[in-house]
Amino acid sequence: DQQVKQNSPSLSVQEGRISILNCDYTNSMFDYFLWYKKYPAEGPTFLISISSIKDKNEDGRFTVFLNKSAKHLSLHIVPSQPGDSAVYFCAASDRDQFYFGTGTSLTVIP
Amino acid sequence: DAMVIQNPRYQVTQFGKPVTLSCSQTLNHNVMYWYQQKSSQAPKLLFHYYDKDFNNEADTPDNFQSRRPNTSFCFLDIRSPGLGDAAMYLCATSRERQFYEQYFGPGTRLTVT
């Protein structure tokens, strides 16, 4: 039972454009959401997070949006850079458990 | 730099031959986690330690055990590896138990022959 879903396994974006990665969840008890970035042969690296009391959190080129009514969050990367090419995992926590999505592979084309 | 280290990065073992994967951290975090990740799947939590308090996930097979002899080190023991246990094993740490930001090691790729 996948409680966190990333329905797009891959995404290609032109350098300089916006990348939008999407994530859906089913458990309304989740109160904290995170995005991780993973390069090949490395472990996931924490990127950005958002608490359920907010609907937006911004850190430089990265912005996470949370729509609780739709149980949907998204990560926006603007502008996209070739170094952003990686697998992005969203994750959710209900303070008792930690759930990852299956990841979206982003390719930024120079 | 403070970090999470996993050794070895690649491990080959034979079917049924016990194997141990190791993880160490210099972050002085209270919580250490072991995840199993198979190709194109989400990382799956096997268990975690909050200090010395061991927490096993309900669906983690008995074949998987863990030890945490001190704050810095945590081991994953697979008593009798099967072909289905071939995966990437990720160790992670977090400061506290509330399952917020976790810091991951590079992983150990286990192959079972």
Side-chain angles (χ1 to χ4, degrees):
Chain A
D1 181 25
Q2 191 75 17
Q3 298 201 39
V4 177
K5 298 177 184 178
Q6 293 177 257
N7 292 318
S8 298
S10 63
L11 175 69
S12 291
V13 171
Q14 205 73 31
E15 180 179 5
R17 299 288 185 97
I18 183 171
S19 295
I20 300 176
L21 297 102
N22 294 303
C23 181
D24 297 294
Y25 61 95
T26 57
N27 189 343
S28 58
M29 297 302 292
F30 289 147
D31 66 349
Y32 202 73
F33 304 88
L34 308 92
W35 283 95
Y36 282 83
K37 177 179 178 179
K38 184 182 184 303
Y39 291 118
E42 295 183 13
T45 303
F46 170 73
L47 191 58
I48 192 169
S49 63
I50 188 167
S51 165
S52 60
I53 62 173
K54 295 186 176 182
D55 54 19
K56 177 183 175 181
N57 187 27
E58 192 172 349
D59 183 2
R61 296 186 296 115
F62 302 91
T63 303
V64 56
F65 295 92
L66 176 62
N67 182 334
K68 288 187 289 294
S69 60
K71 293 191 178 69
H72 178 83
L73 71 155
S74 61
L75 174 68
H76 292 210
I77 306 173
V78 183
S80 301
Q81 300 173 354
D84 296 329
S85 297
V87 176
Y88 290 79
F89 291 93
C90 71
S93 168
D94 61 4
R95 298 189 181 226
D96 189 49
Q97 253 283 20
F98 201 80
Y99 300 87
F100 279 94
T102 53
T104 296
S105 178
L106 173 66
T107 302
V108 179
I109 304 163
Chain B
D1 284 345
M3 56 198 316
V4 181
I5 303 161
Q6 289 188 245
N7 285 306
R9 295 291 308 275
Y10 301 90
Q11 176 74 58
V12 180
T13 191
Q14 292 178 332
F15 183 93
K17 185 175 181 181
V19 65
T20 295
L21 310 181
S22 73
C23 177
S24 63
Q25 55 130 340
T26 61
L27 298 159
N28 204 32
H29 282 172
N30 284 325
V31 194
M32 295 187 78
Y33 309 82
W34 279 105
Y35 288 88
Q36 179 193 65
Q37 186 182 19
K38 297 186 177 180
S39 181
S40 301
Q41 295 184 20
K44 178 181 179 300
L45 183 64
L46 296 174
F47 23 60
H48 74 277
Y49 274 94
Y50 178 66
D51 196 14
K52 294 182 180 180
D53 180 25
F54 177 70
N55 297 269
N56 199 28
E57 294 303 303
D59 56 354
T60 298
D62 292 340
N63 198 25
F64 291 84
Q65 303 286 322
S66 186
R67 296 170 283 136
R68 189 179 186 186
N70 54 53
T71 301
S72 301
F73 285 87
C74 195
F75 300 98
L76 169 62
D77 301 307
I78 309 176
R79 293 193 295 192
S80 181
L83 297 179
D85 297 327
M88 174 71 81
Y89 290 87
L90 295 165
C91 173
T93 73
S94 66
R95 187 171 291 112
E96 289 299 334
R97 192 176 184 164
Q98 286 82 2
F99 286 92
Y100 291 165
E101 288 86 349
Q102 296 185 15
Y103 297 81
F104 284 83
T108 295
R109 171 72 66 187
L110 178 68
T111 300
V112 181
T113 61

